[in-house]
Each structure stands twice: as C-alpha cells, then as structure tokens.
Amino acid sequence: MATKASRSAARFMMAPAVVLLLGWMLVPLIMTLWFSFTKYLPLRGDSIDRGLDWVGFANYARFLSSSSFWPSVQTTLVMVGGVLLITLVLGILLAILLDQPMWGQGVVRILVIAPFFVMPTVSALVWKNMLMDPVNGIFAHLWRFFGAEPVAWLQDASLSSIIMIVSWQWLPFATLILLTAIQSLDSEQLEAAEMDGAPVLKRFWHIVLPHLARAITIVILIQTIFLLSIFAEIFVTTGGAFGTRTLTYLIFQRVIDSQNIGLGSAGGVYAIILANIVAIFLMRIVGKNLDA
Amino acid sequence: MGQIQLKQVTKSFGDVQVIPPLDLTIQDGEFTVFVGPSGCGKSTLLRLIAGLEDITTGHIEIDGQDATDVVPAKRGLAMVFQSYALYPHMSVRKNIAFPLRMAKLNQAEITKRVERAASVLNLTDYLDRRPGQLSGGQRQRVAIGRAIVRDPAAFLFDEPLSNLDAALRVGMRLEISELHKRLETTMVYVTHDQVEAMTMADKIVVLQAGVIEQVGTPLELYHTPRNTFVAGFIGSPKMNLMTGDEAAKHDAHTIGVRPEHIDVVESGGQWQGTVGVAEHLGSDTFFHIHNTGLAETMTVRAIGDVNLKHGDTIHLAPRVDEIHRFDADGLRIA
Ligand SMILES: Nc1ncnc2c1ncn2[C@@H]1O[C@H](COP(=O)(O)OP(=O)(O)O)[C@@H](O)[C@H]1O
Ligand SMILES: [Mg+2]
C-alpha cells in the first residue's frame, strides 16, 4: 500500500464494507437515541406510524432514579471484573503450562479450547443442571461425599456462580491469546535473565509478564466488550434474581417485561456511556501499569 | 580469578552425541576463542560452561571448584548472546542495572556501577532509551555493559558480532579486544569466523563435530597446523591443499601451501597455470588459477599490483620451506 494509486484503490474496494458496517451500527444507534427521548409503550397503543410523543430527558431521569439502576451497574462491574481477573490469572498459568514440552500437547490444547465452541446458553444450562443443581448436581454429590451440606449455588452464591460459568467460557480465549504471546518470547532473554541471577518468579515478573503486556491488554479489551453485554448466562440461570441483574439485563426487563421501549432505550444509552467509561479507564490503567 | 577447566565433558541431545569426551583448560585472564564451522558444537560447549545446558557426563571446574551442578547465576559468569537478548521493555539503564538489582545491591552502588559501565562503553547519552531505539552496535554495547557491571569471573560471548555489518564488526572487534586488555578478565569467545579468531585470541580452540582439532596461539595454528582441517580452516585466503604426485615428491600424502607463500615469477617457476579471476586490491592481488594440474583451483597472493588478467599464463614458485606436509590420516608430518 505504498503508492497513491494503490491507496485509493484500497479505499474504493473497502468502501462497500465500511458503508454496510456504518449503516449496521448507525441505524440502531440513532433509533435507540430517538426512542430514548420519546414515550413509547406499545401496549398502550404507541407506535412509530402514529408518531411518538417527545418527552425530553424524562426517560433518562426515570431510569437513573430507579432503585435498580445503581445496583445493576455495580453487578455489571463486579461480574466483568471478576471474570477478567479469573480468566487472566488462570489463562496465564494455563498458557505457561501448555508452553512446556509435554506428552499429548496437541490433544490437551484442543481440550483447553473446547469450551469456547459451546454456545453460552448451552453451557449455562449444563452448569445449572449438571454441575450446580443442589440436589442432583455433581457438585452437590461431591459435597455430600465429603459430608458437607450441598450449596444452592445459583441462589446463595448466585453472582459468583455466574462469574464462574462465564469465566469457564472465556478462559480458552484468554489462554489462546496468551499462549501465542508466550511462544513468541525469545528464549535467550530468559536465559540472559537466568545468568543475571533472576530466579523463576523474578524471571516471570520482570521478563514474561512485561512481554505479555500487549496480549493482556487485548484480552482485557476484547473480553470487556463482550462481557458488558452478557445475557444468556443470566437469563437461563437466575433470570436476574438474587443480585445478578446487570445493566444489560435491566434494560431487557424494562423493554420486554415492562414493554417500555423509551425507558429501555434510555438505559441502552447509559450502557453505551458505561462501556466507554470502562474502556477509557482500562486503557489508562492497563497501558500505564504494564508498559513500565 | 577465572580459570575454567573441562574434564571429560560430553553432551548428548537424546541419542545424538554432540560433544564427545573433551578436556580443556582456559587459564585466568586468557582470551580464548572457540572457532569452527557452523553446527560443530561451539554454542553448545559455551552453554555447558555457562550452565544453560546440563552436562551429560564429566566435570566442569571454575577456579578449582567443581561447578558441574552449580546453577548459572552462581557460577559468576556473564554471557553476551548472539541476539543480544536485551530486555525490550526496559531502558538501557534498567537493562544494565538488572543483574545488580537481582544481586540486591543498594541503589547508590547500582547507579555508580551503571554510570561507570556506560562511560566505558560510550553509552552515557543513551541510558534512558529503550533497546528498540538503538543501532545494532549500540545494542551490542548494552549487552556487554550488562555483562561487565557484575564483575564476572569470566565473560562468555556467543558470536556477538555476527549481526553487525562488516565495518561495525571491525570496530567492535577492536573494542572487545581493548576491553579485555583493560579488564584482564577471562573471556571465552565463540565464532565461526577465523579472522575474528586470529585477530582477537590469545588462544584458539579449533573445533570440528564437537572434537578439539587443535589448541594454540593464532601464530602456532598458522605456522604449524596439526592437521589438514586446521590448515584449511585457519588463514585467509585458504591454504592450497594438494595430493598426488606433487605431494609424493615431498614424501607426503597431502601438501599445503598458503597463498602468500607462493611467488609469482616472470618465467621458470615450479608450477604454472592460467589465471581465472584476478582480484586487485591495490595492496595485494589475489589470483585464482586453473589448469595447474595440481588442484582444482589454486589461490595465490601477490604483493602490490601485478598486471595479469583472465586467461594469462602465470608462473609460480612456491617457497619450499613453507610447504606443510600431511600423512594419509591428514596429520602433520613434522
Ligand atoms: N537443544 C538441542 N537439541 C538437539 N540438538 C541440538 C540442540 N542444540 C544444538 N543441537 C545440535 O548440536 C549441534 C551443535 O550445535 P551448536 O552448538 O549450536 O553449533 P554451533 O554453535 O557450533 O553452530 C548441532 O548439530 C545442533 O543441531
Ligand atoms: Mg552457535
């Protein structure tokens, strides 16, 4: 892509995709913005054909003053933070483990990646019914085997349970990205550090971790984008009960359960703002801490 | 102090024995160069000394102490890698300070030593840059700086100049030699380039397939190569090796004459051939000669500018007392 001609050719050929993508994103965004400033209750007879009443910031004010709003923001952040923490820590450990030469490496790697191929709904159902069920779940059997009282996971430790399920789904992604990053580390650097007198943990801290910084950033950013909109796992397990109502889920309830599209749209705009705040925040922290 | 002794050391990777039993003593303060063709086990030998590879059998002693099972960090050796192996996310200052930080020296001492190393290596202006912002030669110097701050018992270099361009290589060669003169620390230097070996070494160890072919000073190797391999490997351009009738005349299986020991004469001369390529350097002229009936091609070095060109007949007079003789096993006949 060096010459002017090849650059403009490239632009020309990319144009359809860009226009399509823009349309794809802009149309829903603009409609959400529009609905959020109107009274739109389909069950009360409001419809786009007949024109919607403009209500200004009323929906925003109502969404914000609802008693569920701040708890839902908190739940969202705890869930995203928890999953990020678990997937990163375990992902780094797994990546280091998988990088060691061992017997059956290929098979093990495929097994590790497998959870990523299971649909969220399915995996949440499997966890709910096969593992976490307080009567018939494997965990319950395990607990009883050791003479302990089975835990009603999705009621008593609901948020942690969902974090566990989602972490299980995202661990392969983190592991895969981190593994490729670890494999690109020049082994002479580790040997140099070894000669310089750095024991294993110091080598990890001073050489491996900084080398992984970029991969970690990528994992955090990509996962955050997807985790902010977690839905299926909550829907099939707790249905938003027991303190697992995230912002996404709250919006869903406002739109579908209460049939208040205007209010839901205002929530959607808040979600966009929250996502951006989180993104900026993350870029700052991640960029600073791991780059030094 | 930095005397290194290898006793009956062997190394195998799986079933493949890369280093057959090997004995070698590197004296304190000596500049020892391991030289040999690519894949002959030079790096492996160096890594055995460093402790980065485990010895299969045998012993290594450093200053008379058995170091066979001592971890690399505790051997008191510093290594400069071929890829430099600088830490890319650290500034030059932090790179050089790293071994000191690992040794838990106090900050004042670290600063002092880093500044001193930087001034020795002309790196003072670059201390706050990252390795990625430096040229190849500067990176090389940072790697050396990281090695010298620790005051190691010996330095190990693995082909440190092979990533530099020719001009820089000559410069760095001098710098490393001068560093050795100043520090008087043992240095073990691996290279496949016999010019580096000849110019830098106090002692050269010529290796082939993990076996030591000869150990000696550069001039010993030049004047009395122990076998045809060393004869062909040391010296540039290569020695002319001949077998057959000409060798039989000297009661040998193989004879060798260095290009600089064959005189170009107007007429007469013992040998003659046709000039293939003439390389005019001004100070010398190298002739690659065909049809001598002695060897495929023969290389001859004439002092100054000799005016012969492609296709000309050339008359040659070898200096009889400079002819090396070897027996059927390739070993030197005294
Ligand atoms: N880690 C290893 N595993 C198996 N074989 C190796 C390993 N390292 C080196 N070798 C083999 O040992 C021989 C010597 O290698 P090396 O010491 O790197 O040669 P040099 O540095 O002289 O070019 C080569 O044939 C190489 O293939
Ligand atoms: Mg090598």
Side-chain angles (χ1 to χ4, degrees):
Chain A
M1 299 271 182
T3 64
K4 230 179 216 168
S6 66
R7 263 201 302 272
S8 60
R11 284 212 191 102
F12 178 74
M13 286 186 267
M14 281 191 318
V18 172
V19 168
L20 198 70
L21 257 175
L22 263 182
W24 211 262
M25 284 164 46
L26 275 182
V27 171
L29 182 66
I30 289 170
M31 284 179 73
T32 306
L33 272 173
W34 176 37
F35 292 157
S36 71
F37 288 106
T38 60
K39 184 173 85 67
Y40 190 0
L41 297 160
L43 289 185
R44 305 260 180 87
D46 293 336
S47 83
I48 302 174
D49 295 341
R50 257 176 284 145
L52 300 169
D53 294 338
W54 190 262
V55 294
F57 283 94
N59 285 326
Y60 287 91
R62 217 181 120 201
F63 198 91
L64 202 60
S65 62
S66 143
S67 63
S68 339
F69 176 71
W70 287 112
S72 77
V73 171
Q74 192 192 345
T75 308
T76 309
L77 293 180
V78 170
M79 187 175 305
V80 172
V83 174
L84 281 180
L85 191 74
I86 293 176
T87 50
L88 277 178
V89 172
L90 293 185
I92 291 174
L93 289 178
L94 265 177
I96 292 175
L97 208 68
L98 290 178
D99 190 39
Q100 312 297 321
M102 60 177 170
W103 189 80
Q105 202 164 37
V107 178
V108 173
R109 282 189 190 167
I110 290 176
L111 282 181
V112 167
I113 298 161
F116 209 47
F117 295 119
V118 182
M119 275 181 286
T121 327
V122 175
S123 85
L125 279 174
V126 167
W127 274 84
K128 180 188 180 186
N129 296 324
M130 283 181 63
L131 295 167
M132 292 177 160
D133 190 279
V135 181
N136 290 317
I138 291 176
F139 289 164
H141 284 295
L142 214 66
W143 257 242
R144 259 184 246 118
F145 179 80
F146 286 108
E149 190 68 19
V151 180
W153 290 95
L154 289 166
Q155 284 167 41
D156 300 340
S158 46
L159 188 54
S160 321
S161 302
I162 292 182
I163 290 178
M164 203 142 77
I165 297 173
V166 178
S167 299
W168 179 79
Q169 282 174 355
W170 281 93
L171 187 56
F173 172 76
T175 308
L176 211 61
I177 302 256
L178 293 167
L179 178 63
T180 48
I182 279 191
Q183 284 170 338
S184 73
L185 177 59
D186 176 13
S187 65
E188 284 199 346
Q189 263 180 49
L190 286 175
E191 288 175 348
E194 194 179 346
M195 300 237 20
D196 283 344
V200 177
L201 281 180
K202 288 232 170 100
R203 288 207 289 277
F204 173 76
W205 183 255
H206 291 290
I207 312 295
V208 179
L209 209 52
H211 176 79
L212 291 181
R214 196 173 292 173
I216 291 175
T217 317
I218 290 170
V219 169
I220 291 181
L221 290 179
I222 292 184
Q223 284 200 13
T224 305
I225 292 167
F226 284 95
L227 294 178
L228 280 171
S229 57
I230 284 281
F231 178 79
E233 291 84 343
I234 305 173
F235 186 76
V236 299
T237 53
T238 62
F242 312 116
T244 58
R245 184 158 52 196
T246 59
L247 191 53
T248 313
Y249 206 85
L250 181 66
I251 295 167
F252 161 77
Q253 285 185 333
R254 289 289 178 267
V255 174
I256 302 300
D257 296 356
S258 330
Q259 286 288 312
N260 191 337
I261 295 178
L263 189 61
S265 299
V269 175
Y270 279 127
I272 295 170
I273 296 170
L274 177 73
N276 279 289
I277 292 175
V278 170
I280 292 170
F281 195 64
L282 279 179
M283 298 259 210
R284 283 281 160 84
I285 297 188
V286 168
K288 240 188 228 150
N289 280 359
L290 291 171
D291 226 34
Chain B
M1 279 294 284
Q3 191 217 40
I4 300 167
Q5 231 175 337
L6 308 186
K7 293 181 172 170
Q8 288 295 303
V9 166
T10 71
K11 175 68 188 176
S12 306
F13 291 108
D15 294 334
V16 186
Q17 192 172 53
V18 178
I19 311 271
L22 176 148
D23 287 290
L24 180 68
T25 304
I26 295 163
Q27 297 299 346
D28 183 34
E30 212 170 43
F31 198 121
T32 303
V33 175
F34 294 169
V35 68
S38 215
C40 71
K42 308 178 296 286
S43 299
T44 306
L45 197 55
L46 198 71
R47 292 164 59 81
L48 289 176
I49 295 174
L52 294 172
E53 298 278 0
D54 289 326
I55 291 173
T56 308
T57 61
H59 291 280
I60 287 192
E61 286 179 10
I62 299 175
D63 290 334
Q65 306 279 321
D66 188 8
T68 313
D69 297 318
V70 177
V71 296
K74 297 269 187 293
R75 295 191 183 195
L77 309 175
M79 184 146 166
V80 176
F81 292 84
Q82 185 171 0
S83 67
Y84 315 140
L86 300 179
Y87 311 129
H89 53 280
M90 297 184 199
S91 64
V92 169
R93 186 189 302 280
K94 285 195 172 152
N95 262 285
I96 298 177
F98 189 74
L100 303 177
R101 269 170 71 204
M102 290 302 115
K104 300 210 169 62
L105 265 63
N106 67 49
Q107 194 55 50
E109 177 70 15
I110 292 180
T111 312
K112 202 180 84 193
R113 287 217 211 170
V114 170
E115 310 253 296
R116 198 173 54 202
S119 78
V120 168
L121 294 163
N122 286 326
L123 284 170
T124 310
D125 294 341
Y126 305 103
L127 277 177
D128 294 313
R129 297 222 195 149
R130 295 270 176 94
Q133 298 164 306
L134 300 178
S135 70
Q138 289 164 340
R139 281 182 218 181
Q140 180 64 71
R141 280 204 282 271
V142 177
I144 294 174
R146 198 172 60 185
I148 62 175
V149 281
R150 288 200 299 161
D151 290 331
F155 291 95
L156 311 176
F157 293 91
D158 190 355
E159 310 218 10
L161 307 185
S162 58
N163 288 336
L164 302 180
D165 62 60
L168 214 48
R169 209 176 304 166
V170 175
M172 281 308 296
R173 210 162 74 193
L174 279 174
E175 279 187 46
I176 293 177
S177 292
E178 269 177 30
L179 196 68
H180 176 247
K181 296 276 180 300
R182 173 160 41 191
L183 299 175
E184 296 182 328
T185 312
T186 313
M187 290 191 177
V188 185
Y189 187 104
V190 162
T191 180
H192 64 265
D193 179 357
Q194 60 89 25
V195 176
E196 270 175 36
M198 293 297 280
T199 50
M200 302 173 85
D202 294 325
K203 183 162 94 186
I204 297 181
V205 177
V206 183
L207 289 163
Q208 188 194 13
V211 177
I212 296 183
E213 296 288 348
Q214 190 170 2
V215 179
T217 65
L219 290 183
E220 276 168 17
L221 300 195
Y222 178 83
H223 290 301
T224 53
R226 203 173 70 83
N227 56 29
T228 47
F229 177 77
V230 178
F233 197 79
I234 297 291
S236 170
K238 279 167 103 108
M239 183 188 281
N240 299 295
L241 291 169
M242 297 153 248
T243 50
D245 292 344
E246 194 61 29
K249 280 188 210 163
H250 293 87
D251 293 329
H253 179 267
T254 309
I255 57 166
V257 195
R258 295 195 184 279
E260 55 270 38
H261 296 149
I262 302 175
D263 293 319
V264 177
V265 291
E266 289 286 335
S267 60
Q270 214 171 322
W271 303 333
Q272 61 178 20
T274 44
V275 175
V277 174
E279 296 171 332
H280 297 278
L281 300 180
S283 59
D284 311 285
T285 309
F286 294 118
F287 293 107
H288 299 272
I289 299 159
H290 302 296
N291 307 327
T292 52
L294 302 166
E296 187 80 6
T297 54
M298 186 178 283
T299 314
V300 170
R301 179 184 144 203
I303 305 286
D305 193 6
V306 177
N307 200 12
L308 285 168
K309 52 183 196 305
H310 177 77
D312 290 352
T313 300
I314 188 168
H315 300 274
L316 305 168
R319 298 178 200 163
V320 179
D321 51 347
E322 299 278 11
I323 292 176
H324 302 265
R325 302 184 305 140
F326 302 96
D327 65 18
D329 295 329
L331 288 174
R332 180 179 192 81
I333 303 170

